[in-house]
Amino acid sequence: MNINDVKKRAHSIPLTSPTYSKGPYRFVDREFLIVTYRTDPEKLRELVPEPLEVDMENPLVKYEFIRMPDSAGFGDYTESGQVIPVTFRGRRGAYVHAMYLDDHAPTAGGREIWGFPKKMGHPSLTVDSDTIVGELRYGKMLVATATMGYKFEPFDASAAKATLEAPGFLLKIIPHVDGSLRILELVEYHCEDVQIKGAWSGPVGLELFSHALAPVKDLPVLDIVSGTHIIADLTLGFGRVVHDYLADSTPQAAVHVAREGVEEASVLA
């Protein structure tokens, strides 16, 4: 295989049998169970990277279970994790703090393309009689459970759409071959072409359990604010670099750094 052929074929490891497709990545009947809760503001300050800012007066976390039965290029899988409301240059969005999946292709693709903080786990989202139930296990150990009354009462579709369309932020980390950092970037992404098929709220419960390698309890549940159940079709858009940590030694500076081949125009939670 000559050098030009290598360049043409390369988009995922391994070269001759890519782990995932090139996209776009369209999700059909994507189902969310989102539990919003208040946590320790000092914990948020410790875990959210600058230049993102957290609301210390209203320290919220969204614990999510997401069922994806029809995902172009990625297949049928489920994920679970924590998303933190933040602001970036005055714009509201959400920082994806932790994600656990049961499928290798979206785990690899999410990490390599965007920088999603994905690890392998055993999440599930099911209906038990009159209750929708989310559960996350890491290995055999129970890490998180969430419950909500199934389609208990309607939730405003426009509010659900706004939630899914809000900008998301990721910390992309890729080491060099000598173990040093080669890429350390803040990436912004958006969900596009969102079509809400149903949205509900209702009584909700959430429990987090301590685990050394799945430390979701590091952001403890102090008070549950709300629960939302959403079914939607959407496209996961590609991202853009909004801050390059290795190019800027002053983390407070709100400097937009555009990599070669990355346009300034906004794209894609």
Side-chain angles (χ1 to χ4, degrees):
M1 190 184 302
N2 62 43
I3 290 176
N4 287 333
D5 288 337
V6 173
K7 291 180 179 180
K8 288 178 182 178
R9 296 183 64 173
H11 80 272
S12 168
I13 297 172
L15 173 66
T16 57
S17 179
T19 301
Y20 48 86
S21 69
K22 291 183 178 181
Y25 304 99
R26 183 69 179 171
F27 295 79
V28 176
D29 293 332
R30 182 165 169 155
E31 186 172 17
F32 301 78
L33 174 58
I34 304 172
V35 182
T36 302
Y37 69 92
R38 290 188 180 87
T39 193
D40 182 339
E42 294 301 328
K43 293 289 186 180
L44 283 185
R45 192 197 297 271
E46 291 174 10
L47 296 176
V48 175
E50 293 179 334
L52 298 176
E53 298 178 357
V54 297
D55 186 347
M56 298 293 287
E57 295 183 359
N58 191 26
L60 298 179
V61 179
K62 295 179 182 289
Y63 197 97
E64 301 186 351
F65 290 89
I66 309 174
R67 179 84 187 92
M68 286 158 281
D70 184 352
S71 307
F74 293 143
D76 179 349
Y77 67 103
T78 306
E79 70 183 26
S80 178
Q82 290 162 309
V83 176
I84 301 169
V86 295
T87 57
F88 176 68
R89 298 185 194 158
R91 293 188 295 122
R92 293 183 180 181
Y95 171 64
V96 184
H97 171 61
M99 305 179 77
Y100 302 88
L101 288 75
D102 59 2
D103 184 0
H104 176 62
T107 301
R111 288 168 64 103
E112 293 174 10
I113 299 172
W114 296 271
F116 279 99
K118 299 189 175 190
K119 298 177 73 171
M120 296 296 290
H122 302 285
S124 63
L125 184 60
T126 59
V127 177
D128 181 12
S129 186
D130 59 353
T131 309
I132 185 168
V133 179
E135 182 176 278
L136 172 63
R137 291 181 180 271
Y138 192 88
K140 297 179 181 179
M141 302 300 296
L142 183 62
V143 174
T145 59
T147 55
M148 192 176 99
Y150 184 69
K151 296 185 178 180
F152 208 78
E153 57 187 48
F155 182 75
D156 183 67
S158 61
K161 191 171 189 287
T163 295
L164 300 186
E165 290 179 335
F169 297 98
L170 307 161
L171 188 62
K172 184 170 183 176
I173 305 169
I174 296 181
H176 213 310
V177 293
D178 63 0
S180 63
L181 279 175
R182 184 167 187 171
I183 294 175
L184 183 60
E185 299 167 338
L186 187 66
V187 173
E188 179 181 345
Y189 75 97
H190 296 259
C191 291
E192 304 168 344
D193 301 322
V194 177
Q195 299 175 13
I196 302 297
K197 292 183 170 180
W200 304 269
S201 62
V204 64
L206 176 66
E207 288 191 77
L208 306 180
F209 304 92
S210 180
H211 193 292
L213 299 182
V216 296
K217 198 176 180 181
D218 283 0
L219 291 172
V221 180
L222 301 184
D223 178 38
I224 294 178
V225 176
S226 65
T228 311
H229 176 200
I230 303 170
I231 300 175
D233 296 348
L234 59 86
T235 297
L236 178 58
F238 290 107
R240 67 180 181 120
V241 177
V242 294
H243 188 86
D244 188 330
Y245 292 86
L246 300 183
D248 181 6
S249 60
T250 57
Q252 294 282 1
V255 178
H256 178 89
V257 180
R259 290 283 196 180
E260 181 180 357
V262 179
E263 297 185 359
E264 296 285 342
S266 176
V267 290
L268 164 36

